[in-house]
Amino acid sequence: AQRVTQPEKLLSVFKGAPVELKCNYSYSGSPELFWYVQYSRQRLQLLLRHISRESIKGFTADLNKGETSFHLKKPFAQEEDSAMYYCALLVGKLIFGQGTTLQVKP
Amino acid sequence: GAGVSQSPSNKVTEKGKDVELRCDPISGHTALYWYRQRLGQGLEFLIYFQGNSAPDKSGLPSDRFSAERTGESVSTLTIQRTQQEDSAVYLCASSSRLADLTDTQYFGPGTRLTVL
């Protein structure tokens, strides 16, 4: 079955600390994976996609097929990174994880 | 340009009534998606339209839910005989599979449905 798992509901860190939001997927084919972010009172928006191998707002995510993971990382968290983060797998439609709330404390 | 828009932004209804939610996708986007986000839960796929193909309805939770799309424009999601468990934020997204091979989906602001 196709599934995306984000094990942490809430991740709380201090400003300047490293951040890693975990995402694991279950899919038999070649996965196409995304991270979406929803800031307070804003609409859900794309943060990054694995196929682009890009860094957005200091965030990166590497696809690890052996571990079936696509963890989102940032070396130094900022207060403005506080938001809800969703990992998603594209199989025609998007299959989302449950989301992780990132709280960056001053 | 204009993004995905949805109306109404908020809808309060009584149990048993029918509701219609509207989505205006980005002009030229061939694909349109509906998702649901219940309180404390992740986003749940409902239905997907792609061009003239038959829609993927595999996510609709019951036959009380239906959706239509006219061509490559507006879509309406209808919920008949609403129940309290239908209370959620309903999100619409669109994408252009022709222009963007990675199929980035652009989301609307959502409609918050409350069933009393």
Side-chain angles (χ1 to χ4, degrees):
Chain A
Q2 300 140 357
R3 187 182 300 124
V4 175
T5 305
Q6 293 179 251
E8 302 140 328
K9 210 164 185 176
L10 171 66
L11 185 62
S12 188
V13 302
F14 284 102
K15 176 182 169 182
V19 167
E20 183 180 55
L21 289 85
K22 291 186 167 45
C23 172
N24 288 88
Y25 65 91
S26 174
Y27 182 54
S28 57
S30 187
E32 200 169 334
L33 290 152
F34 300 77
W35 277 97
Y36 277 82
V37 61
Q38 188 166 28
Y39 300 101
S40 179
R41 289 185 291 279
Q42 293 188 29
R43 64 181 68 188
L44 192 65
Q45 58 186 283
L46 177 69
L47 179 62
L48 56 80
R49 49 201 175 192
H50 94 270
I51 199 169
S52 301
R53 303 183 65 84
E54 57 201 345
S55 173
I56 302 292
K57 299 185 179 182
F59 285 97
T60 58
D62 290 319
L63 175 61
N64 185 323
K65 290 188 179 180
E67 295 183 358
T68 59
S69 69
F70 188 55
H71 303 325
L72 183 68
K73 298 177 185 178
K74 184 168 182 176
F76 307 103
Q78 302 300 314
E79 288 180 70
E80 56 265 29
D81 296 329
S82 296
M84 177 73 112
Y85 291 79
Y86 292 96
C87 182
L89 170 68
L90 182 67
V91 286
K93 65 267 192 179
L94 285 170
I95 296 175
F96 285 90
Q98 296 288 2
T100 299
T101 300
L102 174 63
Q103 187 181 75
V104 181
K105 296 177 285 191
Chain B
V4 177
S5 61
Q6 292 185 246
S7 60
S9 54
N10 277 286
K11 177 73 178 177
V12 180
T13 190
E14 292 179 349
K15 179 181 168 181
K17 294 274 175 74
D18 297 352
V19 295
E20 261 191 18
L21 312 180
R22 177 187 168 107
C23 172
D24 283 88
I26 293 172
S27 178
H29 277 192
T30 57
L32 186 147
Y33 312 77
W34 284 98
Y35 298 89
R36 176 171 74 172
Q37 186 174 28
R38 287 190 279 191
L39 191 63
Q41 299 185 29
L43 285 116
E44 179 187 3
F45 165 76
L46 297 176
I47 187 168
Y48 157 43
F49 297 89
Q50 170 59 51
N52 295 321
S53 304
D56 177 352
K57 303 180 183 179
S58 60
L60 294 178
S62 78
D63 58 9
R64 295 186 296 104
F65 287 73
S66 63
E68 291 184 351
R69 187 183 188 194
T70 307
E72 293 184 355
S73 61
V74 171
S75 175
T76 54
L77 176 70
T78 302
I79 309 173
Q80 296 178 308
R81 306 181 301 283
T82 52
Q83 304 294 312
Q84 288 180 333
E85 64 261 27
D86 299 335
S87 295
V89 175
Y90 289 82
L91 291 171
C92 175
S94 70
S95 71
S96 170
R97 283 183 173 255
L98 296 177
D100 185 348
L101 296 178
T102 62
D103 199 39
T104 300
Q105 295 185 20
Y106 297 87
F107 282 80
T111 293
R112 182 175 298 279
L113 174 66
T114 304
V115 182
L116 300 176

